[in-house]
Amino acid sequence: MDTAKLELAAQRYREAEAALDAARTDLQAEAVAFLRTTDERGAQATVVRITGWTREYLRRLVMNSDENTA
């Protein structure tokens, strides 16, 4: 067993996981900001199409964001 390769793979995994978490947080913030600042008809549908999230997930995300800013 090559522990150096295992350690390298584990480190790369942790870094990729951290990058994914950061990207998810950024995407959520951008989606909420877009919905709050636009009066564009069909804005929610646009976010759903771009992100692949469900409308229910998006509603919960906005609701949770409202609670965290209150």
Side-chain angles (χ1 to χ4, degrees), residues 1-4 6 11 14-17 22 24-25 27 31 34 40 47 56-57 59 61 69-70:
M1 173 181 225
D2 188 348
T3 58
L6 179 60
Q11 179 60 33
R14 285 189 292 274
E15 290 170 357
E17 199 170 50
R24 180 182 304 111
T25 299
L27 182 56
F34 174 74
E40 176 184 318
V47 174
E56 178 59 31
Y57 177 79
R59 281 190 289 272
L61 185 63
T69 60

Side-chain angles (χ1 to χ4, degrees), residues 1-69:
M1 173 181 225
D2 188 348
T3 58
K5 285 183 180 179
L6 179 60
E7 288 175 2
L8 178 60
Q11 179 60 33
R12 287 178 48 214
Y13 177 83
R14 285 189 292 274
E15 290 170 357
E17 199 170 50
L20 179 60
D21 288 344
R24 180 182 304 111
T25 299
D26 289 347
L27 182 56
Q28 289 170 338
E30 289 299 325
V32 170
F34 174 74
L35 291 173
R36 286 189 175 151
T37 60
T38 189
D39 55 358
E40 176 184 318
R41 182 176 167 91
Q44 189 181 59
T46 299
V47 174
V48 167
R49 178 182 55 79
I50 291 171
T51 62
W53 296 332
T54 64
R55 288 180 183 267
E56 178 59 31
Y57 177 79
L58 192 55
R59 281 190 289 272
R60 282 186 281 133
L61 185 63
V62 171
M63 259 185 13
N64 288 342
S65 178
D66 290 342
E67 290 172 3
N68 290 337
T69 60

